[in-house]
Amino acid sequence: MSTFIQIMLLSILPGIIWVIFIYRTDRYEPEPTKQIIKAFIIGILCVFPAVLFESLFDIGSEFAMAVVVAPVVEETIKILMFMVFFYHAKDFDEPLDGIIYACSIALGFATIENIFYIFSALQYDKVFQVASMRALLSIPGHFLFSALWGYAAGTVKFRLRKGVTLGAGLITAILLHAGFNFTATLSALGTIIFIIIFSIYAWVLFSKRLRILQFDSKNRSQNIE
């Protein structure tokens, strides 16, 4: 197998595997496969306006770009595409769907980003190190952040809880994304420690909200044996 094919597999497979994981959490009324694929592709397409807007707001500081500009631009574009293509779709018929579509979009975005980072690592002969770290931390990080506004979307659309807003969900996602990126600017050891901490915290938030919306599924009672 050629090096190019191996690198492409390392770049693409993690995103696909995580999409399958997310899809399987929708246990009571799984979304149509074509909708998940559509969300993943839209996530891929989100990369292009994100690159454009990040270049427009490039202030010459890598730190500011990573910690301020990138989280704001990326999460905002993802949620806008979600609102345009999925929020009013007929298949978005229960609260959990907000998380499912948000995560699928985020994973499409993360997959393209992953290709860039892994091919860049080729010149430093660190392909497998970068691929492993991103598969376990960076790629799930993207869907964990977006799951926060996905949770808010599902909650708001079905009017489940007072005090939950799309704006708050987006801001929380941006802040967590910014914190995660900030850790990447630290020393190598600091980066590993803090990224793991942020990842664990993000997983806790994700798991809590996922359980809440799974419980709220209108199809839950029909599937309990």
Side-chain angles (χ1 to χ4, degrees):
M1 187 181 295
S2 69
T3 300
F4 175 80
I5 295 176
Q6 290 178 359
I7 294 176
M8 286 301 293
L9 288 175
L10 285 172
S11 303
I12 296 171
L13 280 179
I16 294 174
I17 291 170
W18 281 115
V19 165
I20 294 171
F21 167 79
I22 292 298
Y23 183 74
R24 290 175 66 86
T25 64
D26 194 6
R27 62 183 65 165
Y28 301 122
E29 189 191 13
E31 296 307 287
T33 304
K34 65 179 182 180
Q35 286 291 80
I36 301 301
I37 294 172
K38 176 182 175 181
F40 191 83
I41 292 173
I42 287 173
I44 290 173
L45 297 177
C46 284
V47 171
F48 300 102
V51 170
L52 173 62
F53 280 102
E54 286 176 21
S55 64
L56 290 175
F57 292 101
D58 189 347
I59 56 178
S61 167
E62 290 187 8
F63 177 83
M65 290 298 294
V67 178
V68 180
V69 177
V72 172
V73 169
E74 292 174 10
E75 295 303 329
T76 300
I77 288 175
K78 285 185 282 187
I79 195 173
L80 285 175
M81 293 301 99
F82 166 85
M83 295 299 293
V84 169
F85 290 100
F86 297 103
Y87 188 77
H88 298 290
K90 64 178 182 179
D91 290 310
F92 189 172
D93 56 2
E94 64 174 352
L96 181 59
D97 296 345
I99 286 182
I100 303 302
Y101 289 128
C103 290
S104 299
I105 291 172
L107 284 165
F109 187 100
T111 296
I112 295 301
E113 187 180 78
N114 205 39
I115 292 172
F116 170 77
Y117 277 105
I118 291 179
F119 270 97
S120 296
L122 184 61
Q123 61 184 308
Y124 305 109
D125 197 26
K126 292 186 177 180
V127 168
F128 290 101
Q129 296 95 314
V130 171
S132 299
M133 181 69 75
R134 290 190 58 79
L136 295 174
L137 297 173
S138 298
I139 293 179
H142 265 284
F143 81 71
L144 291 170
F145 308 145
S146 297
L148 297 175
W149 54 256
Y151 165 82
T155 302
V156 170
K157 179 170 182 174
F158 294 95
R159 302 177 181 178
L160 296 177
R161 293 167 188 84
K162 294 181 179 179
V164 177
T165 66
L166 280 171
L170 176 60
I171 290 172
T172 304
I174 289 171
L175 291 176
L176 199 60
H177 194 155
F180 187 92
N181 285 1
F182 170 74
T183 65
T185 68
L186 304 175
S187 64
L189 178 60
T191 296
I192 293 173
I193 292 174
F194 282 98
I195 281 181
I196 290 174
I197 291 173
F198 264 96
S199 296
I200 292 173
Y201 178 63
W203 270 109
V204 170
L205 289 181
F206 171 75
S207 299
K208 181 178 179 180
R209 282 156 177 73
L210 182 68
R211 286 195 299 271
I212 289 172
L213 296 190
Q214 284 176 333
F215 183 82
D216 288 329
S217 172
K218 62 184 173 60
N219 296 286
R220 176 174 173 267
S221 60
Q222 301 172 18
N223 289 272
I224 296 176
E225 298 180 354

